[in-house]
Amino acid sequence: MSIKDNAKQFWNLFVELEDEIVDGLTHSNYEILNKDVEKLDDMCYEMTGCHFFVENVYGELECTFDTGPNKTCQLIAQYFVQVAPKSISNHWILNDCLPPLSSKAVLATVQIKEDQYNLQDFFVSYGIDDNQDLVHVKVYCPGFYLIDNTENKKEMSMYLLELALGQCCYEAYISHIDYMDECKEVEEFCPLIEFYDRLLDIVERKGWHTYASPLDIYSVYQPIQDFAHDSLRKDMKMIFTTHPILLEETIEEKNDVLSDMESKGGKYGYIYYSNLYGNQQDALLHKEISNSIQKQLQKNETGKVIGGSIGKSYSYIDCAIFDESIFNLVFGKIKRQLDDKVELYYQSF
């Protein structure tokens, strides 16, 4: 089944269980609620690779796809949210990644020796990197000194920071994460549960770029290898992508990311065309064509542009594809629409 088919099946099950879920959230009927959400979570994990939970936040009903940093999971979860029936999206807040300070964060506990600690027991010391528009963080917990394994403390710090900030802020603004065994109060110090608001103040005050989704965060770089020839996909000079691991793996001719997407009913591929100018106009044309393709893919609910590259001979527009059969039809339409500008071709990775 395609990702498009899977999304339809998932939301059909949600509609069947919705009344019981709403009743469970409203009246704290956790026995039925947990049973229903477990069914949805199991299906979601099989289809997307991420977990799913619901919550009642001050009277607002929310559904959340907890993707973690896996870009394939993020792409599929975002698609599930975009194609949710209006009957659901009109009454639920749909999160395509973990939001800041969710119920999962507030209820999270960690066991250290004989004691349990929650988010309110943790503190952060932080510094600002103005050159990179990033923040580096050290996390403190009163029980850290009892843990001998330094990697466990670092992993715990990363996990709880992600819960507090949500996936988007965590990926957008955090550079380095470490831990502290001792509480060293400096000027840039606050409870972890308050750090999200503190970080937003920094972003606003310094005018940093803001993101609605971790999939809006682009990496721009040149390949380490200087390719000597002009063959397809080997001539890339400049790469811009929301999925760096995909690009790294395809350059190295690995296929873990490709296999992961295919196992969930999707594909990664690229549209390409011969460069027309051999100068900066190629970048402007690339942006124009990429925007046109994205509009068509979104309109037909069949894919998403996730970046691209400009090479010596060709330009590339990379895509995540959620229904290959529909994509092939849409690509034919795109080719005809842009035929007066460039001759487009498609190739799967």
Side-chain angles (χ1 to χ4, degrees), residues 159-172:
Y159 172 69
L160 291 169
L161 188 64
E162 182 182 24
L163 287 179
L165 297 180
Q167 194 65 43
C168 189
C169 275
Y170 181 80
E171 291 190 25

Side-chain angles (χ1 to χ4, degrees), residues 128-135 172-174 203 206-209:
I128 301 170
D129 182 349
D130 286 310
N131 293 324
Q132 299 293 325
D133 292 353
L134 295 171
V135 176
Y173 305 119
I174 303 302
V203 171
K206 293 185 172 291
W208 291 355
H209 193 82

Side-chain angles (χ1 to χ4, degrees), residues 262-281:
E262 289 182 11
S263 72
K264 295 174 174 64
K267 280 260 191 187
Y268 286 115
Y270 57 93
I271 295 167
Y272 68 96
Y273 57 91
S274 296
N275 290 333
L276 299 183
Y277 304 106
N279 56 37
Q280 291 182 345
Q281 282 187 272

Side-chain angles (χ1 to χ4, degrees), residues 52-332:
F52 176 84
F53 64 90
V54 300
E55 55 189 326
N56 186 344
V57 183
Y58 304 113
E60 297 280 358
L61 301 175
E62 295 194 24
C63 298
T64 296
F65 294 84
D66 188 2
T67 63
N70 186 302
K71 292 300 170 185
T72 298
C73 295
Q74 290 177 4
L75 284 162
I76 299 174
Q78 186 183 76
Y79 179 75
F80 271 44
V81 167
Q82 289 172 348
V83 300
K86 291 293 184 184
S87 61
I88 297 171
S89 60
N90 287 342
H91 297 96
W92 290 80
I93 297 171
L94 304 179
N95 301 310
D96 56 22
C97 66
L98 186 70
L101 297 172
S102 65
S103 63
K104 180 179 178 179
V106 174
L107 297 174
T109 60
V110 294
Q111 184 82 28
I112 302 177
K113 301 296 184 182
E114 304 300 323
D115 296 319
Q116 283 194 334
Y117 299 86
N118 58 36
L119 216 61
Q120 296 183 353
D121 298 314
F122 288 79
F123 299 82
V124 296
S125 171
Y126 62 94
I128 301 170
D129 182 349
D130 286 310
N131 293 324
Q132 299 293 325
D133 292 353
L134 295 171
V135 176
H136 53 86
V137 177
K138 289 184 178 181
V139 177
Y140 167 74
C141 172
F144 270 174
Y145 78 98
L146 296 170
I147 303 176
D148 295 327
N149 189 315
T150 58
E151 285 302 312
N152 286 351
K153 287 185 278 193
K154 188 169 182 178
E155 289 175 5
M156 191 181 298
S157 299
M158 295 170 66
Y159 172 69
L160 291 169
L161 188 64
E162 182 182 24
L163 287 179
L165 297 180
Q167 194 65 43
C168 189
C169 275
Y170 181 80
E171 291 190 25
Y173 305 119
I174 303 302
S175 60
H176 180 73
I177 304 168
D178 211 334
Y179 66 89
M180 296 189 298
D181 284 333
E182 299 178 10
C183 181
K184 299 177 180 178
E185 293 197 30
V186 293
E187 184 177 355
E188 295 83 9
F189 187 91
C190 71
L192 178 55
I193 204 164
E194 297 176 10
F195 185 49
Y196 174 70
D197 289 332
R198 187 78 65 97
L199 182 57
L200 290 189
D201 288 341
I202 294 170
V203 171
E204 182 177 2
R205 187 173 73 249
K206 293 185 172 291
W208 291 355
H209 193 82
T210 57
Y211 305 92
S213 162
L215 293 169
D216 295 337
I217 304 169
Y218 273 82
S219 299
V220 180
Y221 59 95
Q222 294 175 306
I224 295 174
Q225 181 179 356
D226 183 16
F227 296 108
H229 47 78
D230 296 341
S231 62
L232 191 65
R233 208 70 200 188
K234 298 294 185 181
D235 67 330
M236 296 183 294
K237 298 186 296 184
M238 182 61 66
I239 296 172
F240 27 93
T241 181
T242 64
H243 202 329
I245 296 177
L246 171 66
L247 269 294
E248 291 167 10
E249 283 199 358
T250 52
I251 289 172
E252 297 172 4
E253 297 184 351
K254 298 179 180 178
N255 61 4
D256 289 347
V257 172
L258 302 179
S259 298
D260 185 32
M261 178 61 116
E262 289 182 11
S263 72
K264 295 174 174 64
K267 280 260 191 187
Y268 286 115
Y270 57 93
I271 295 167
Y272 68 96
Y273 57 91
S274 296
N275 290 333
L276 299 183
Y277 304 106
N279 56 37
Q280 291 182 345
Q281 282 187 272
D282 285 325
L284 297 176
L285 179 63
H286 186 284
K287 183 176 181 179
E288 178 187 346
I289 293 174
S290 181
N291 288 340
S292 296
I293 291 172
Q294 173 57 24
K295 287 179 182 177
Q296 285 297 325
L297 296 181
Q298 186 171 6
K299 178 182 177 181
N300 291 275
E301 299 180 344
T302 187
K304 178 182 176 67
V305 172
I306 58 173
S309 56
I310 297 174
K312 296 176 183 178
S313 303
Y314 302 97
S315 287
Y316 310 92
I317 297 165
D318 300 336
C319 304
I321 298 164
F322 307 124
D323 188 306
E324 191 173 21
S325 61
I326 297 177
F327 172 83
N328 291 333
L329 298 174
V330 173
F331 177 63

